[in-house]
Amino acid sequence: MKQHIGIIRYFQTAWPLLIMFIPGALFFILFKYTPMLGVVIAFKDYNFTDGILHSDWVGLTNFDFLFSNIQTLQIIKNTLFISVVGIIVGFPFPILLAVLLNEVRLKWFRGTVQTLIYLPHFLSWVIVGGMVITMFSINSGVINHALEWITGERFPFLYNGTSWLAVYFGSGIWKEAGFGAIIYLAALSSINPSLYEAASIDGAGQLRKIWHVSIPGISNIIILMLILSVGRVMEVGFDQIFILQNDVVSNKAEVISTYIFRTGISQGQYSITAAIGLFESLVGLILVLTANKIAKKYNHGLW
């Protein structure tokens, strides 16, 4: 009885918040959770004529096809490799930028730099990809013109697997690192200034202040962002890699998202691509749970 009275009182006091929560809940139910029901076609031989409900069940046949096909195994390896290396290479850059900007005392200089490094984020990958391809083009690219002037030879940056990966990771860092630094800058601004003053009294220089005050002060945010990044380890994204890839480097550049587009959308094999999409999501979920469990051991877990 007391429990029921407590629930009634809770609704009486929190009803404004609950009403504000309804639109958000409806959005997630309609546009996030309801479409998930379509994943059932991963276990069916889906076709437009019979629809989702009346297509034949095929069990795990689509998954058997995926994991017995050399091409799809290579695509999964490519996705894992690009994602993991992307996190290792790209994750520290926003932190580094935020820490460096936090040390700048000239407001006009800091504001100018912040604006310049944020701008690439607001350009679409169509524009950025076009700029990258133009810069590294073997015939007309400014990079190859400079290289030829220095060494007398040109290099096919976009047609060599290793250099293509370097261009891919570099362009991603250039576009997103500045915008990613916003979160860390916000976290740095919340650090108590007295900690820096205390460190100065103890004789700490700038590097020691960064190491012993700034980095520990944003460690929770770093862990949070790392867990979110790990959750997207199987989700390379589509725009960047689709625009930059070409047939010569397809053995390294073909990933799950581009495979789903080419096979699922272009060739109409919806069941197979739904199966690989479901596999991608499950791996991401397992990685997030694992990362959070590891973080909890160090008192930084999310839940």
Side-chain angles (χ1 to χ4, degrees):
M1 186 63 182
K2 288 182 179 179
Q3 189 178 3
H4 289 296
I5 293 173
I7 294 173
I8 292 170
R9 284 181 178 171
Y10 172 77
F11 277 98
Q12 285 176 339
T13 55
W15 67 267
L17 296 175
L18 292 172
I19 289 175
M20 286 191 287
F21 173 73
I22 289 172
L26 285 176
F27 172 81
F28 276 93
I29 291 170
L30 290 175
F31 298 106
K32 298 292 182 182
Y33 289 102
T34 304
M36 284 184 189
L37 300 175
V39 79
V40 73
I41 67 173
F43 304 96
K44 288 191 166 194
D45 183 16
Y46 173 76
N47 63 77
F48 274 121
T49 307
D50 296 325
I52 294 176
L53 295 178
H54 300 292
S55 295
D56 295 330
W57 290 95
V58 293
L60 298 176
T61 304
N62 293 320
F63 294 91
D64 288 339
F65 172 79
L66 285 176
F67 296 113
S68 60
N69 188 313
I70 296 174
Q71 184 191 6
T72 53
L73 290 176
Q74 183 61 43
I75 288 167
I76 292 171
K77 287 180 184 176
N78 290 346
T79 306
L80 275 172
F81 176 78
I82 290 176
S83 294
V84 172
V85 175
I87 291 174
I88 294 171
V89 174
F91 187 77
F93 275 88
I95 302 171
L96 182 64
L97 273 174
V99 169
L100 292 176
L101 284 172
N102 190 55
E103 295 299 318
V104 175
R105 294 292 171 260
L106 293 174
K107 287 187 178 179
W108 67 268
F109 180 75
R110 178 176 171 171
T112 305
V113 172
Q114 278 182 283
T115 304
L116 289 175
I117 61 176
Y118 293 165
L119 280 178
H121 170 79
F122 298 101
L123 301 175
S124 74
W125 269 114
V126 175
I127 297 172
V128 175
M131 291 166 62
V132 171
I133 291 172
T134 303
M135 286 174 65
F136 288 95
S137 169
I138 192 167
N139 293 320
S140 57
V142 64
I143 303 293
N144 262 314
H145 277 297
L147 190 66
E148 186 179 31
W149 182 69
I150 296 170
T151 65
E153 295 181 358
R154 299 187 176 207
F155 186 80
F157 290 100
L158 298 174
Y159 300 97
N160 176 282
T162 305
S163 60
W164 183 88
L165 286 171
V167 171
Y168 173 83
F169 292 129
S171 59
I173 291 169
W174 176 74
K175 187 175 185 298
E176 299 297 342
F179 195 77
I182 292 175
I183 295 173
Y184 299 110
L185 276 170
L188 284 167
S189 66
S190 66
I191 296 175
N192 192 338
S194 64
L195 294 175
Y196 290 104
E197 293 170 7
S200 299
I201 293 170
D202 289 340
Q206 289 302 105
L207 288 177
R208 284 197 176 276
K209 287 181 191 173
I210 290 171
W211 186 251
H212 293 290
V213 180
S214 298
I215 299 297
I218 61 172
S219 60
N220 285 335
I221 300 298
I222 293 174
I223 296 292
L224 170 66
M225 299 305 292
L226 184 61
I227 290 175
L228 293 176
S229 299
V230 169
R232 295 193 296 270
V233 76
M234 292 290 288
E235 186 183 333
V236 172
F238 177 77
D239 295 351
Q240 181 188 7
I241 204 158
F242 183 75
I243 289 168
L244 293 181
Q245 69 177 199
N246 55 69
D247 292 339
V248 179
V249 295
S250 61
N251 61 328
K252 293 183 182 296
E254 188 76 334
V255 295
I256 290 177
S257 57
T258 54
Y259 176 76
I260 288 174
F261 174 75
R262 293 183 202 284
T263 309
I265 306 298
S266 302
Q267 300 176 20
Q269 297 185 36
Y270 302 107
S271 294
I272 291 174
T273 49
I276 199 168
L278 180 59
F279 168 74
E280 177 184 1
S281 301
L282 284 176
V283 172
L285 176 63
I286 292 168
L287 288 172
V288 166
L289 294 175
T290 306
N292 186 63
K293 194 170 184 179
I294 294 171
K296 278 181 75 175
K297 288 186 177 179
Y298 300 95
N299 298 321
H300 290 297
L302 293 182
W303 64 87

